[in-house]
Amino acid sequence: MVEVPLFPLKLVLFNGSLFELEIFERRYLRMVRRALANETGIGIVYLARGSEVHKNGEDPIELAKIGTLSSIKHTEVIEESRILIVIEGGAKFRVLSTWTEDDHLNMGLVEFLREDIKRPLRPQDEELAELLEHMNEFRIAEGQPKMTVEENSASALSYRLSEVLPMSMEFRQTLLEIDHPYRRLDRIHRWVQSERVNG
């Protein structure tokens, strides 16, 4: 078990995902400075209820129980008291308890969960692999970087599809909480089929 700063966001971060964040609240500026100085991570947790920005008098926020430890890959000062950071998703964790510091920075006692079992793609996963390739073609055409996926990795394919398909954040959170890549891919496949039928 370890203490980590928690960053509640309307975002679900997956292993290997890169995300850009603009930091301006004092508590999160302190969080970033501390993470950089100590070379530690930041816990990204889906904000199930409440506001990302602290406001006095509001009801307590509600956090998901499973989150992702992120590392800071890049920082850029935009202006005084405003910075841009790029984070990358790493290990998953379970939130055991939470508390807030004097400046309302959320902290958590977490336990890290085991990594996905390494599994190759199955024949039924090839359709999803092709879907990701088609999505990459659109991304490249729009000037976005191509998503790279570890070859023949069920886990990597499931995470990249969870990241880019137009799903609700609530559904993405359910995918994050699944602890086996084949089960995650099966859920994604059912979602794709449902979208085709209803679309």
Side-chain angles (χ1 to χ4, degrees):
M1 294 181 291
V2 64
E3 292 182 9
V4 298
L6 299 179
F7 199 170
L9 294 169
K10 298 289 188 180
L11 166 74
V12 179
L13 188 70
F14 295 93
N15 183 284
S17 296
L18 293 170
F19 200 80
E20 191 175 83
L21 294 168
E22 190 172 321
I23 308 297
F24 55 89
E25 284 192 75
R26 182 177 299 175
R27 56 178 172 165
Y28 293 135
L29 290 168
R30 181 170 71 88
M31 174 189 71
V32 169
R33 286 194 296 268
R34 187 165 67 183
L36 290 171
N38 299 331
E39 297 184 348
T40 55
I42 296 170
I44 305 299
V45 282
Y46 174 60
L47 181 59
R49 182 173 59 83
S51 173
E52 293 180 341
V53 178
H54 173 74
K55 297 176 183 176
N56 289 325
E58 282 194 332
D59 292 334
I61 61 175
E62 180 181 333
L63 304 179
K65 295 301 183 184
I66 305 295
T68 303
L69 188 70
S70 70
S71 57
I72 300 174
K73 310 304 290 186
H74 174 75
T75 63
E76 179 182 343
V77 177
I78 302 174
E79 57 186 44
E80 186 178 359
S81 299
R82 190 175 292 265
I83 61 174
L84 192 71
I85 66 172
V86 176
I87 58 172
E88 181 176 13
K92 290 195 295 187
F93 59 78
R94 176 178 288 107
V95 179
L96 302 177
S97 62
T98 63
W99 65 96
T100 56
E101 297 189 338
D102 291 342
D103 61 356
H104 305 289
L105 178 65
N106 299 283
M107 296 292 297
L109 182 66
V110 308
E111 63 175 356
F112 289 102
L113 305 177
R114 70 177 185 180
E115 295 183 8
D116 273 3
I117 300 171
K118 291 183 182 271
R119 290 288 187 268
L121 297 181
R122 306 162 296 177
Q124 60 263 45
D125 300 326
E126 292 302 323
E127 181 182 354
L128 293 177
E130 291 175 4
L131 174 60
L132 186 64
E133 281 302 312
H134 289 311
M135 297 189 73
N136 260 330
E137 292 173 6
F138 285 115
R139 288 173 64 88
I140 293 170
E142 294 176 354
Q144 300 181 55
K146 179 179 180 179
M147 291 176 294
T148 57
V149 177
E150 181 183 348
E151 186 176 358
N152 202 29
S153 168
S155 180
L157 177 63
S158 71
Y159 281 139
R160 295 293 72 75
L161 287 170
S162 300
E163 175 187 355
V164 300
L165 287 172
M167 304 163 169
S168 69
M169 284 299 168
E170 289 82 2
F171 187 67
R172 284 193 172 119
Q173 181 65 30
T174 66
L175 294 175
L176 179 70
E177 294 175 5
I178 293 174
D179 62 0
H180 196 290
Y182 286 163
R183 288 196 289 271
R184 194 178 302 117
L185 284 173
D186 289 342
R187 286 291 299 275
I188 294 170
H189 193 259
R190 291 197 296 272
W191 181 90
V192 170
Q193 290 179 318
S194 174
E195 288 295 301
R196 285 174 178 167
V197 169
N198 297 327

